[in-house]
Amino acid sequence: MFKDIKAVSSFSVNDLQKAKDFYHGKLGLEVSEGTMGVLTLHTNGGGTVLIYPKPNHEPATFTVLNFPVPDIGEAVDELISRGITFEQYGAPIKTDEKGIFRGDGRGPDIAWFKDPAGNILSVLKGM
């Protein structure tokens, strides 16, 4: 039924202007505004993500959006230079001093950070 449909993901934020500034200004994504204040993130791969306002927004406690990158160290350094702070986790997903979890066969190398609404995002070594 859905095999030929391009799926779209979405999540909420508590402040659309802060989200727009973050996703466009800090992450460099193309962002457009739609009806009812919904933001659409556009990626080079043709994917879109909807971000909608929710007055009683509560940040997701899981990763809502992943950005595959060819070199995770380079991506983390670039994002740090743009003011992004990476999360630090202990075992079993212990991160290094930059906030990178080294998969070493247990999964991809990945580093988590948050948007202004507290939603968890990540960069991960290309999939």
Side-chain angles (χ1 to χ4, degrees):
M1 177 174 160
F2 296 122
K3 75 176 190 163
D4 294 324
I5 295 174
K6 187 184 261 185
V8 176
S9 182
S10 66
F11 55 89
S12 70
V13 297
N14 55 356
D15 187 318
L16 279 175
Q17 188 58 52
K18 283 184 182 177
K20 184 177 181 181
D21 293 345
F22 177 80
Y23 285 97
H24 178 69
K26 294 233 185 228
L27 301 187
L29 292 170
E30 181 184 336
V31 178
S32 62
E33 293 183 46
T35 58
M36 297 176 28
V38 173
L39 297 178
T40 302
L41 303 180
H42 304 273
T43 65
N44 282 344
T48 57
V49 177
L50 302 178
I51 299 178
Y52 57 92
K54 186 175 178 193
N56 61 344
H57 165 78
E58 290 191 30
T61 58
F62 52 86
T63 309
V64 298
L65 190 57
N66 298 285
F67 297 99
V69 295
D71 185 321
I72 192 163
E74 184 178 300
V76 166
D77 288 343
E78 174 66 23
L79 290 169
I80 289 171
S81 77
R82 293 178 184 208
I84 303 295
T85 301
F86 284 85
E87 299 298 298
Q88 294 290 324
Y89 296 114
I93 57 169
K94 182 159 178 47
T95 53
D96 66 18
E97 65 282 348
K98 287 187 177 182
I100 302 171
F101 165 73
R102 304 293 178 174
D104 297 325
R106 299 174 291 150
D109 291 355
I110 185 168
W112 295 273
F113 59 102
K114 292 181 180 177
D115 74 2
N119 294 311
I120 302 169
L121 314 172
S122 84
V123 288
L124 57 101
K125 189 170 181 179
M127 298 172 58

